[in-house]
Amino acid sequence: MPPWMQRVIVLPVMALAACATVSPAATTEQEMLAADRAFAARALEIGAGPAFVEFAADDVTIFPSAGVPETGKAAVEAWTSDWPEDMIIEWAPEAAHAGKGGDFGYTWGYATYTRVGQEGASYGKYITVWQRQDDGSWKWIADMGAGAPAPEDR
């Protein structure tokens, strides 16, 4: 076989091999990042509280700062009902990490908290644990946050 023909055969085989090396974890991580971005966008559309309820799994567990963990969407509704209606939470995931099974993982990122008509902001960091649902969608099953420096100080 002439050398030029070997290259013609080898290049397509290498291209196929490169496509096959995308790991299931990488795909899962991209899906979770997309879910987190959709969650953040929805919070800006309908408010943070309703978005937290909408994106929560039925068996979600919350970890309120001044209480004990609670499970279920009703707990999320009660927790978020105390949030100020004029509060705006904007966030964006920085990274995701997925389990090998492709149905579980977490995203983490930074958030900015503001109030309508008020100057200034506060900042936080978060971690959201995601689980693939039976219908293929991603829902959060746990979420925790803490204070963070302003973006210019990170």
Side-chain angles (χ1 to χ4, degrees), residues 33-137:
L33 287 167
D36 199 346
R37 289 182 190 112
F39 180 17
R42 190 71 172 141
L44 292 175
E45 289 175 18
I46 65 172
F52 266 78
V53 173
E54 182 178 313
F55 277 76
D58 290 338
D59 60 347
V60 63
T61 300
I62 61 165
F63 300 87
S65 59
V68 297
E70 297 180 54
T71 301
K73 275 194 168 190
V76 177
E77 288 181 53
W79 175 51
T80 61
S81 69
D82 290 337
W83 294 0
E85 287 186 29
D86 64 346
M87 180 175 68
I88 300 168
I89 307 174
E90 297 180 80
W91 71 87
E94 294 281 324
H97 299 281
K100 291 181 182 179
D103 62 348
F104 186 82
Y106 69 91
T107 55
W108 73 269
Y110 292 102
T112 301
Y113 303 87
T114 57
R115 303 277 295 266
V116 174
Q118 293 183 4
E119 290 188 30
S122 58
Y123 304 96
K125 55 190 172 287
Y126 71 90
I127 182 169
T128 302
V129 181
W130 296 89
Q131 186 175 45
R132 186 187 310 271
Q133 303 299 294
D134 290 339
D135 66 1
S137 68

